[in-house]
Amino acid sequence: MSDRVRNIAILGSTGSIGRSTLDVIAASNQQLRVVGLTANSRLAQLCEQARQFQPTWIVAANPDRASAFNWSAKPAHAELLLGSAGIEALVARPEVDIVVAAIVGSAGLSGTWAALEAGKTVALANKETLVMAGPQVMQLAREHGAKILPVDSEHSAVFQALEAGRRRDVKRIILTASGGPFRRHTVAQLAQVSVAEALAHPTWDMGPKITVDSATMMNKALEIIEARWLFDLEPDQIEVVVHPQSIVHSFVEFRDGSVLAQLSPPDMKLPIQYALTYPERWDCPSPKLDLATAMSLDFEPPDLDRFPAIGLGHEVARVGGTAGAVLNAANEAAVAGFLGGQLSFTEIVPACRSVLDNHQFEASPTLEKLIELDNWARQEVTRWVCT
Ligand code: NDP
């Protein structure tokens, strides 16, 4: 255990990652302390979390929802902040040591940006931030002496395996993918899948957006782009293998041919905790691997024809510039369209491809340009849905 309590602010505490983070903190023997929590729509759950974890600040990200909400259940000691400005104020507080970036989608960018600007350690679950603005975000972290520690299980696995050798000796990384619920579906079957089927992931229990991303394998595309910027790898050093059991969370191959992997049952508490305790390792409340019971670990190459998102991920990682922000926003809008019944499952990736092909590419965009293109790409998907 560490000699000092670490103070944590959780952006998106009511989501799947947010709740798992609270489980880790609850099991930490008071070595981890919650100082700030944020939510968007689940404000009653936010109050409940605040009663249990006693943070100094809570933030309601949407001021309109906040003003319509009855705050009588809010603990008196917790100061209520509002909107993006509230999140940005929270992460910059000197009392905050680590910010867990667990808001879903590009809505997570501004809080992560503010935390890095304040020089904080960011435990990054919100991969969309790096997909949108990887070079800008990494540069910001360097300028402000901030650290980004991966929470995504594949990136946490790579991060851990990288510690076994020198960076210049890394040949490639291999990200594992469960393959999602439709791994064996034909193209005709994929065209028929329902929202309920897409939301039933075989190995991971996650929020709805990333669950649909896993089913289309866009999640792996986003992870290829995330890995490219986070680990400063060339896109052709990043490969994907399908591993349906989700036990091996990724591999690193070194130049001598040694391949290192990190294994554990599929549960986010372990990668979350490692980001919070790094470089220390503590007892963790996640399930443990039982090697005394027979099991098999299968690996197969991904089918790039049935799951074209992976190719899109490599392409966007190669071109960089504005492509990541456009792909990310188009995907968010297309997934929302699918969940809302306006788009079929097999239209999600073609919608992203179409918007990407029709955007005016810039190699070195400003953050303002990326935000402008994020809005534009969402409108384009809406137009695509209506035509
Ligand atoms: P959830 O949908 O479960 O939770 C999302 C969180 O973000 C909620 O707290 C939600 O608040 C909040 N939120 C949503 N929209 C906004 C907004 N506009 N402004 C501020 N807050 C908002 O998502 P997950 O926990 O599954 O995923 C979170 C992030 O972590 C994603 O980027 C995902 O890709 C990544 N990730 C998730 C994994 C997982 O196992 N779940 C694994 C690896 C990465 P509210 O609920 O109050 O509306």
Side-chain angles (χ1 to χ4, degrees):
M1 289 267 164
S2 145
D3 47 6
R4 198 177 74 76
V5 173
R6 300 174 192 205
N7 288 331
I8 320 280
I10 308 174
L11 311 187
S13 63
T14 46
S16 160
I17 292 288
R19 294 192 306 273
S20 292
T21 306
L22 288 172
D23 290 344
V24 166
I25 293 172
S28 75
N29 232 344
Q30 271 116 52
Q31 295 300 292
L32 301 171
R33 180 168 57 206
V34 176
V35 290
L37 297 172
T38 87
N40 188 44
S41 61
R42 288 177 269 191
L43 301 177
Q45 190 181 338
L46 177 67
C47 289
E48 177 54 39
Q49 292 177 341
R51 274 197 301 280
Q52 192 183 345
F53 289 91
Q54 309 272 308
T56 314
W57 299 278
I58 60 172
V59 187
N62 183 321
D64 294 336
R65 282 181 194 273
S67 58
F69 183 71
N70 174 357
W71 288 96
S72 56
K74 177 183 89 59
H77 69 268
E79 184 185 343
L80 174 65
L81 308 174
L82 296 178
S84 310
I87 294 178
E88 288 161 25
L90 164 67
V91 299
R93 298 292 316 192
E95 294 87 341
V96 173
D97 299 317
I98 304 176
V99 174
V100 178
I103 289 173
V104 63
S106 63
L109 175 69
S110 67
T112 307
W113 189 273
L116 296 173
E117 217 162 26
K120 304 292 180 182
T121 294
V122 173
L124 186 74
N126 176 258
K127 63 191 85 184
E128 293 91 343
T129 287
L130 284 180
V131 174
M132 249 185 110
Q136 293 83 351
V137 166
M138 297 309 290
Q139 172 68 20
L140 185 75
R142 279 190 295 276
E143 277 170 16
H144 293 272
K147 271 207 219 69
I148 303 179
L149 299 172
V151 164
D152 222 346
S153 56
E154 295 78 358
H155 300 70
S156 177
V158 169
F159 181 67
Q160 294 178 56
L162 282 174
E163 292 179 355
R166 292 181 304 190
R167 287 304 301 271
R168 63 171 180 272
D169 295 332
V170 171
K171 186 171 172 212
R172 60 180 180 146
I173 67 168
I174 301 123
L175 302 175
T176 52
S178 70
F182 310 131
R183 187 165 56 93
R184 296 272 180 249
H185 274 42
T186 62
V187 172
Q189 286 172 316
L190 285 173
Q192 301 301 322
V193 305
S194 67
V195 169
E197 288 168 328
L199 287 177
H201 196 280
T203 49
W204 291 102
D205 180 12
M206 310 180 285
K209 190 257 178 186
I210 184 174
T211 304
V212 175
D213 286 348
S214 279
T216 57
M217 295 199 74
M218 183 62 84
N219 186 44
K220 224 36 64 179
L222 303 181
E223 288 178 6
I224 291 168
I225 305 164
E226 179 185 13
R228 192 241 183 289
W229 304 121
L230 186 62
F231 302 119
D232 193 20
L233 293 164
E234 292 303 320
D236 61 9
Q237 288 180 289
I238 307 167
E239 292 176 25
V240 172
V241 66
V242 172
H243 166 49
Q245 292 88 2
S246 302
I247 299 282
V248 176
H249 296 300
S250 282
F251 301 95
V252 174
E253 183 179 338
F254 289 92
R255 63 193 296 180
D256 60 359
S258 272
V259 178
L260 279 92
Q262 185 263 334
L263 285 74
S264 53
D267 186 300
M268 287 306 295
K269 289 193 281 298
L270 194 153
I272 292 169
Q273 177 170 302
Y274 192 58
L276 299 181
T277 65
Y278 177 81
E280 295 167 23
R281 288 186 185 271
W282 299 357
D283 293 341
C284 183
S286 60
K288 304 296 177 289
L289 201 56
D290 176 12
L291 291 167
T293 306
M295 72 165 97
S296 41
L297 301 177
D298 301 310
F299 301 95
E300 63 192 41
D303 183 330
L304 302 183
D305 295 325
R306 282 184 303 128
F307 295 101
I310 297 175
L312 215 47
H314 268 121
E315 192 179 316
V316 168
R318 262 191 297 276
V319 300
T322 46
V326 170
L327 174 67
N328 181 64
N331 179 56
E332 281 186 34
V335 170
F338 169 65
L339 291 172
Q342 295 100 35
L343 220 64
S344 75
F345 182 76
T346 43
E347 285 175 313
I348 297 173
V349 178
C352 295
R353 152 67 64 205
S354 163
V355 174
L356 200 57
D357 287 349
N358 286 310
H359 97 278
Q360 284 205 313
F361 178 76
E362 275 185 36
S364 304
T366 59
L367 189 65
E368 291 68 35
K369 183 72 191 175
L370 294 177
I371 292 166
E372 185 193 310
L373 279 171
D374 176 282
N375 289 322
W376 172 85
R378 287 166 201 274
Q379 285 162 16
E380 284 299 290
V381 171
T382 310
R383 223 162 53 83
W384 204 86
V385 167
C386 299
T387 51

